[in-house]
């Protein structure tokens, strides 16, 4: 036997090697759905002793969303698996969620046999072209067994290093080829290894000094943090106290700081607090840390504030606001080097004003949560739970009205985790996110919040996934809270607020469905609440249950998920909706907003 043939020693088939290599990278779980385009890989998983677990979902989109959530909650690379053609196509929405929220996810997908490619074969899709956008950093198809090692290695390394989506396509005939664990030592061969880099990025001393000068001379400093500040809580607190600044949190940075700190103004944007709005309108200096919050109208006006930004991705610097000093680097390490250069500000007037606005906001929300409505006030469902949240619980929320109540009413304490689909804002993420969180942390309480639209889109099906796996978890404490208002509520209010149109019943009303009864049929504890005096007891039952729980809250769709100070800016459009026969903006908004709408109506007459 020649030297090259000895180096090509056949150790197993390609699929066995893929599972072994993934395990060597520390991958412990794959989310997916079977299909004949990946039968070789599934067979290898069934034979494997590597300890990688397979989670069978109900739809491949859910596999990708779970892989994204796994990455968010663990910091590890998420992996999803799908067959060729239709299965691969189904992955895309969840993968875009990961890409846009900068999460490391590797998609491994099947393809028809190589000899059939280009022959309009059944389920044949040009997968490289299809995935070229979502996995633009790295998408490749194996055409030979000797490629597989470097394809897997590079996909995982690039996903982790670039915090993005990568994709490896394995034709089904390649999956069962004899593996070449060590490529031949010859021209054209590629020899990759395993291991993530341990270094970090920090800005130059010159840049840090310039940033410190701007922050030191500012009189009214506002800080905005996002997901990039998640591991820098201690440093953010030190900076805020040195500068006597307030700190607002973008939606993906909700758990970056606990809400019981007196200077945390809470959310920003359409779901934001009046305290945050005050800080952004009045600050003369803005420090942004690990955030790409997109809505310019909620940031200081251009020219109002001098700005410093910290981000590990240079492409995101000076993107949302003209920044005077851009600090390219890891948030924690950058702040640690910036802190010694900052001066303690002695004047507390600015901080005191911010703290007063925070207290005022919290008091107003408590009153609004108790306001009467035709059906159950959705805000109260969240405010009643907030003080009852277990230590170290994990929260997930869907896109839509639930995201607003989640952002505004759930007060985060140290040790909690929470997330949602931030940039893509896709419907149907809450339940798969919760499932991934429960697999990653089976001993923690996980609570998901979803609207009836999201549950009908895919959440109901993923309750089957919970029913399949919950008895394998260390603790069964997973709770799904469904706001059942028979309305696609966020869009209804956007129609009123953005377009001045009344609710369009044809598009907005959802079919009636008994979520609690359905959950009960699956072995859950199903609880249905439709009045305020039932809410606290329902949460207590759910938190102490010995099985998964679904709480169905019959809530009022005419209570706006947008806070009144945001609606005020759109009073002209709301008045137009009222003039067209939609009275909800008058009947279920705050007194000041009602007066504003009525004044606008009178002006238009």
């Amino acid at each position: 036997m020649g030297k090259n043939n000895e180096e090509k020693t056949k150790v197993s088939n390609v699929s066995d090697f893929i599972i072994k290599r993934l395990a060597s990278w520390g991958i412990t779980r794959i989310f997916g759905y079977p299909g004949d385009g990946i039968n070789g890989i599934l067979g290898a998983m069934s034979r494997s002793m590597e300890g990688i677990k397979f989670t069978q979902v109900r739809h491949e989109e859910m596999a990708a969303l779970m892989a994204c959530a796994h990455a968010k909650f663990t910091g590890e690379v998420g992996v999803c698996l799908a067959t060729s053609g239709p299965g691969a196509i189904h992955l895309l929405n969840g993968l875009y969620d990961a890409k846009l929220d900068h999460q490391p996810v590797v998609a491994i997908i099947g393809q028809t046999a190589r000899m059939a490619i280009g022959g309009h074969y059944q389920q044949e899709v040009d997968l490289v072209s299809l995935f070229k956008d979502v996995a633009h950093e790295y998408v490749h198809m194996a055409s030979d067994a000797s490629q597989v090692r470097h394809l897997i290695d590079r996909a995982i390394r690039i996903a982790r290093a670039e915090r993005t989506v990568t994709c490896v396509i394995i034709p089904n005939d390649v999956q069962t080829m004899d593996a070449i664990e060590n490529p031949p030592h010859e021209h054209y061969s590629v020899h990759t290894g395993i291991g993530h880099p341990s270094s970090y990025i920090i800005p130059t001393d010159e840049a840090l000094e310039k940033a410190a000068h701007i922050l030191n001379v500012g009189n009214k400093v506002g800080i905005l943090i996002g997901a990039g500040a998640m591991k820098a809580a201690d440093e953010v607190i030190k900076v805020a106290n040195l500068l006597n600044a307030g700190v607002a949190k973008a939606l993906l940075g909700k758990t970056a700081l606990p809400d019981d700190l007196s200077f945390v103004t809470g959310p920003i944007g359409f779901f934001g607090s009046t305290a945050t709005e005050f800080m952004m309108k009045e600050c003369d200096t803005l420090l942004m840390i690990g955030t790409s919050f997109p809505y310019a109208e909620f940031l200081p006006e251009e020219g109002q504030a001098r700005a410093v930004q910290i981000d590990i991705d240079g492409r995101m610097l000076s993107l949302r606001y003209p920044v005077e000093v851009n600090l390219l680097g890891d948030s924690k390490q950058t702040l640690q080097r910036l802190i010694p250069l900052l001066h303690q500000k002695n004047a507390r007037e600015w901080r005191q004003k911010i703290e007063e606005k925070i207290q005022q906001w919290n008091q107003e929300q408590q009153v609004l949560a108790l306001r009467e409505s035709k059906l159950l006030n959705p805000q109260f469902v969240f405010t009643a739970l907030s003080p009852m949240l277990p230590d170290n619980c994990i929260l997930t929320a869907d896109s839509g009205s639930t995201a607003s109540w989640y952002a505004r009413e759930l007060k985060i304490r140290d040790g909690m985790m929470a997330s949602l689909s931030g940039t893509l804002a896709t419907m149907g993420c809450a339940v798969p996110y919760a499932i991934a969180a429960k697999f990653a942390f089976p001993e923690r309480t996980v609570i998901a919040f979803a609207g009836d639209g999201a549950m009908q889109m895919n959440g109901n099906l993923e309750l089957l996934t919970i029913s399949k796996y919950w008895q394998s978890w260390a603790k069964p404490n997973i709770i799904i809270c469904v706001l059942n208002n028979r309305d696609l509520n966020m869009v209804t209010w956007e129609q009123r607020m953005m377009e001045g149109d009344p609710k369009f019943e044809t598009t907005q009303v959802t079919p009636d469905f008994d979520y609690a009864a359905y959950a009960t049929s699956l072995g859950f504890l199903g609880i249905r609440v439709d009045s305020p005096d039932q809410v606290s007891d329902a949460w207590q039952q759910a938190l102490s249950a010995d099985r998964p729980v679904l709480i169905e809250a019959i809530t009022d769709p005419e209570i706006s998920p947008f806070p009144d100070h945001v609606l005020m800016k759109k009073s002209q459009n709301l008045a137009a909706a009222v003039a067209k026969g939609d009275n909800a903006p008058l009947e279920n908004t705050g007194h000041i907003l009602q007066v504003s709408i009525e004044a606008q109506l009178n002006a238009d007459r």
Side-chain angles (χ1 to χ4, degrees):
M1 184 183 290
K3 182 178 179 181
N4 283 347
N5 286 334
E6 291 175 355
E7 290 171 339
K8 291 183 181 180
T9 301
K10 299 168 184 177
V11 296
S12 57
N13 72 25
V14 163
S15 295
D16 293 316
F17 175 75
I18 289 172
I19 300 304
K20 179 180 178 181
R21 199 67 173 182
L22 290 172
S24 297
W25 275 99
I27 303 301
T28 59
R29 183 169 300 278
I30 296 174
F31 302 94
Y33 199 80
D36 62 358
I38 51 172
N39 274 346
I41 298 173
L42 296 175
M45 289 196 72
S46 72
R47 294 188 295 270
S48 174
M49 302 296 290
E50 301 294 341
I52 295 180
K53 304 294 185 181
F54 180 81
T55 297
Q56 182 205 77
V57 299
R58 314 274 63 77
H59 186 288
E60 288 90 350
E61 179 188 354
M62 301 295 99
L65 286 170
M66 289 182 199
C68 175
H70 179 86
K72 286 185 173 184
F73 290 127
T74 67
E76 302 168 357
V77 175
V79 178
C80 54
L81 177 66
T83 189
S84 57
I89 294 168
H90 282 167
L91 286 176
L92 286 174
N93 191 61
L95 293 178
Y96 272 105
D97 182 47
K99 176 186 177 180
L100 296 182
D101 280 354
H102 307 287
Q103 296 302 314
V105 170
V106 175
I108 299 174
I109 53 180
Q111 175 60 293
T112 191
R114 291 168 298 166
M115 65 184 296
I117 293 175
H120 192 61
Y121 203 72
Q122 184 185 32
Q123 295 190 334
E124 180 193 354
V125 174
D126 184 355
L127 294 175
V128 172
S129 296
L130 182 68
F131 281 77
K132 198 63 178 176
D133 181 56
V134 73
H136 73 278
E137 298 284 356
Y138 195 78
V139 51
H140 286 282
M141 183 176 74
S143 58
D144 187 83
S146 60
Q147 292 177 271
V148 173
R149 187 173 106 177
H150 70 254
L151 292 181
I152 296 296
D153 287 353
R154 296 204 70 215
I156 295 176
R157 179 173 289 112
I158 291 169
R160 177 71 173 269
E162 299 296 328
R163 299 174 301 115
T164 193
V165 173
T166 58
C167 176
V168 178
I169 303 161
I170 313 289
N172 63 7
D173 60 326
V174 174
Q175 294 170 30
T176 54
M177 292 174 65
D178 291 329
I180 300 175
E181 190 163 3
N182 300 311
H185 188 67
E186 60 187 37
H187 197 55
Y188 296 121
S189 65
V190 177
H191 299 259
T192 54
I194 290 169
H196 297 296
S198 58
S199 60
Y200 48 79
I201 301 170
I202 56 172
T204 65
D205 290 343
E206 181 183 7
L208 288 167
E209 289 170 0
K210 289 180 179 179
H213 172 72
I214 290 172
L215 297 171
N216 284 330
V217 300
N219 294 313
K220 297 185 289 186
V221 181
I223 300 175
L224 175 61
I225 62 175
M230 204 69 76
K231 296 180 180 179
D234 291 343
E235 290 74 19
V236 172
I237 292 170
K238 287 180 182 178
V239 170
N241 285 330
L242 282 169
L243 301 176
N244 276 327
V247 182
K249 300 188 291 186
L251 204 50
L252 286 173
K254 182 173 176 64
T255 58
L257 280 185
D259 287 305
D260 54 11
L261 296 171
S262 65
F263 53 84
V264 172
T265 65
I268 186 173
F270 287 105
F271 308 151
S273 72
T274 51
T276 297
E277 183 180 56
F278 165 80
M279 184 174 71
M280 291 296 162
K281 281 185 175 180
E282 300 296 327
C283 70
D284 61 18
T285 309
L286 177 64
L287 172 60
M288 295 186 289
I289 305 170
T291 177
S292 60
F293 173 75
Y295 302 125
E297 67 267 37
F298 295 101
L299 295 172
E301 288 192 20
E302 187 170 343
Q304 170 194 319
R306 303 180 72 182
V308 173
Q309 184 179 1
I310 301 170
D311 205 290
I312 201 167
D313 187 346
R315 294 170 296 186
M316 306 308 292
L317 289 167
S318 206
L319 175 64
R320 307 303 186 193
Y321 191 83
V323 173
E324 199 166 333
V325 178
N326 296 287
L327 299 177
L328 177 63
D330 172 81
S331 294
K332 186 178 185 70
Q333 299 296 330
T334 299
L335 290 173
Q336 285 179 350
R337 283 156 178 77
L338 182 63
I339 287 169
L341 305 176
L342 298 177
H343 303 155
Q344 176 67 61
K345 295 186 186 296
N346 295 319
R348 281 191 48 81
E349 290 83 357
W350 170 243
R351 170 70 76 87
Q352 288 171 347
K353 287 181 181 178
I354 290 173
E355 291 176 347
E356 289 170 3
K357 293 292 183 180
I358 294 168
Q359 293 173 5
Q360 181 182 340
W361 163 259
N362 289 331
Q363 291 168 1
E364 290 172 351
Q365 296 312 298
Q366 289 174 7
V367 172
L368 290 173
L370 296 174
R371 63 182 154 174
E372 294 183 1
S373 57
K374 294 178 181 178
L375 299 171
L376 179 60
N377 184 341
Q379 189 169 5
F380 182 68
V381 175
F382 289 76
T383 57
L385 169 65
S386 189
M388 301 167 62
L389 288 171
D391 292 339
N392 300 317
C393 66
I394 304 175
L395 310 174
T396 69
D398 226 294
S399 299
S401 61
T402 53
S404 175
W405 306 122
Y406 155 92
R408 290 156 51 190
E409 304 305 329
L410 298 179
K411 304 303 182 184
I412 295 300
R413 303 192 305 273
D414 190 35
M416 294 180 181
M417 293 193 287
S419 196
L420 41 56
S421 175
T423 309
L424 186 62
T426 183
M427 284 180 66
C429 64
V431 177
Y433 267 37
I435 293 170
K438 195 62 181 172
F439 274 116
F441 301 97
E443 74 288 349
R444 293 195 180 193
T445 299
V446 178
I447 308 174
F449 303 91
D452 48 0
M455 290 302 293
Q456 292 184 15
M457 182 174 284
N458 53 39
N460 283 339
L461 289 178
E462 288 309 311
L463 296 183
L464 290 169
T465 303
I466 296 175
S467 71
K468 176 181 174 71
Y469 289 108
W470 73 266
Q471 295 189 51
S472 69
W473 294 329
K475 293 184 179 180
N477 45 352
I478 183 170
I479 303 167
I480 313 299
C481 177
V482 182
L483 300 188
N484 182 4
N485 53 27
R486 297 202 59 201
D487 181 47
L488 299 177
N489 197 234
M490 181 64 72
V491 174
T492 291
W493 278 94
E494 286 173 336
Q495 288 173 348
R496 293 164 171 156
M497 185 174 76
M498 302 297 190
E499 311 301 333
D501 288 329
K503 178 178 178 177
F504 184 26
E505 299 280 337
T506 301
T507 65
Q508 299 312 106
V509 175
T510 58
D512 195 14
F513 188 83
D514 193 332
Y515 301 92
Y518 173 61
T520 299
S521 74
L522 298 177
F524 286 50
L525 173 60
I527 304 172
R528 191 175 190 268
V529 297
D530 56 14
S531 67
D533 57 4
Q534 298 172 328
V535 172
S536 293
D537 287 344
W539 282 121
Q540 289 173 356
Q541 286 185 61
L543 292 168
S544 61
D546 63 353
R547 65 192 61 217
V549 179
L550 185 142
I551 295 178
E552 178 182 3
I554 311 301
T555 56
D556 194 332
E558 305 306 350
I559 291 184
S560 171
F562 297 100
D564 286 356
H565 70 280
V566 173
L567 291 172
M568 283 284 289
K569 299 179 178 64
K570 302 293 183 180
S571 61
Q572 184 173 0
N573 287 343
L574 292 171
V578 172
K580 296 171 186 175
D582 191 340
N583 289 320
L586 275 178
E587 295 174 352
N588 291 280
T589 53
H591 174 70
I592 295 175
L593 181 58
Q594 291 175 21
V595 171
S596 178
I597 294 173
E598 289 171 348
Q600 187 65 54
L601 282 169
N602 291 331
D604 292 340
R605 288 189 179 115

